[in-house]
Amino acid sequence: MTYYSEHAKVWVSVDVIIFGFDEGKLKVLIGRRQMDPGRGEWSLYGGFVAANEGIDECASRTLKELTGLRNLYMRQVGAFGSVDRDPGERVVSIAYYALINVKDYDEKLRKEHQAEWVDINQLPPLYSDHNEMVRQAQRRMRQKMRTEPIGFRLLPDLFTLTQLQRLYEAVGGQEIDKRNFRKRIKEMGFIEKTELIDKLSSKRGAALYRFNKRVYNEDPNFKL
């Protein structure tokens, strides 16, 4: 028996906004679209949901194929379903954002996919409503970072306080008072100072810190 035959069919796709942090800038992974319509236009990465997978599975598969990385931080942004959003067919897209450490992304794989890291403030016009997806994803990430330490997923295991401050400024889109920021950091027991020194970013050298997940899980009252 055939059900719902009186209704028009709608395609369902997934688009992933992959955020990285590099050279003090919040960046988005984009590439040239490899299919019609819109071939050659700048675009986010994504794909159509297969008949045998859920939307979360589709997003995870897309991330794995593109980055080669597993167990990435990923959250849903929302659904985008304007009638005319895709000139090819009636397509509803579920957008997700993911956070990765740029240094973990294999350069060979990036070139294979012809992907480019682009400063979020210098994004070109993207295919369809992808620019709006990025804007909404950044807003959601910004809200999340105020209550959960998800930003550490964008940093290496060892980082300086300057790197951490630059990250929060890049995500929030505004400068942060250095003194107040460092005072707040010192109040957080899960951000540990190590005995290691970073001598690349300054002549004097800067102390390296790390995120202690165990300590955070014991007292997760976080707000920055």
Side-chain angles (χ1 to χ4, degrees), residues 15 26 40 49 68 70 73 87 99 126 130 168-169 171 199 211 221 224:
D15 286 294
L26 181 65
V49 180
R70 298 179 182 275
Y73 180 89
L99 310 180
L126 302 177
H130 288 188
Y168 275 87
E169 289 176 336
V171 173
K199 296 183 179 180
F211 170 63
N221 296 317
L224 184 62

Side-chain angles (χ1 to χ4, degrees), residues 59-76:
S60 296
R61 172 175 58 81
T62 300
L63 275 174
K64 177 62 172 59
E65 292 174 353
L66 180 60
T67 68
L69 303 173
R70 298 179 182 275
N71 301 318
L72 294 174
Y73 180 89
M74 180 183 74
R75 291 293 185 272
Q76 190 179 124

Side-chain angles (χ1 to χ4, degrees), residues 35-139:
M35 60 188 294
D36 293 319
R39 185 183 297 271
E41 294 184 29
W42 288 108
S43 171
L44 297 172
Y45 286 88
F48 288 99
V49 180
N52 63 343
E53 67 181 354
I55 56 175
D56 289 352
E57 293 174 305
C58 180
S60 296
R61 172 175 58 81
T62 300
L63 275 174
K64 177 62 172 59
E65 292 174 353
L66 180 60
T67 68
L69 303 173
R70 298 179 182 275
N71 301 318
L72 294 174
Y73 180 89
M74 180 183 74
R75 291 293 185 272
Q76 190 179 124
V77 178
F80 294 76
S82 297
V83 174
D84 59 350
R85 65 174 300 274
D86 193 306
E89 291 287 351
R90 179 77 169 91
V91 180
V92 173
S93 181
I94 313 300
Y96 290 77
Y97 75 89
L99 310 180
I100 72 172
N101 179 359
V102 171
K103 305 303 181 185
D104 290 340
Y105 188 17
D106 186 86
E107 187 69 7
K108 182 178 178 181
L109 191 59
R110 183 188 68 77
K111 291 181 178 179
E112 180 182 317
H113 287 285
Q114 300 179 26
E116 298 289 342
W117 286 110
V118 179
D119 184 340
I120 193 170
N121 295 314
Q122 297 178 354
L123 281 178
L126 302 177
Y127 178 76
S128 184
D129 48 11
H130 288 188
N131 286 92
E132 179 58 26
M133 289 182 180
V134 173
R135 283 190 287 271
Q136 290 196 27
Q138 184 182 17
R139 284 198 295 269

Side-chain angles (χ1 to χ4, degrees), residues 176-185 224:
I176 299 174
D177 179 78
K178 180 178 178 179
R179 183 179 299 177
N180 290 336
F181 181 81
R182 298 202 171 197
K183 179 181 178 182
R184 185 71 183 96
I185 292 301
L224 184 62

Side-chain angles (χ1 to χ4, degrees), residues 134-146:
V134 173
R135 283 190 287 271
Q136 290 196 27
Q138 184 182 17
R139 284 198 295 269
R140 286 184 175 272
M141 177 174 60
R142 184 181 298 161
Q143 294 169 351
K144 199 72 168 177
M145 281 182 65
R146 291 176 182 148

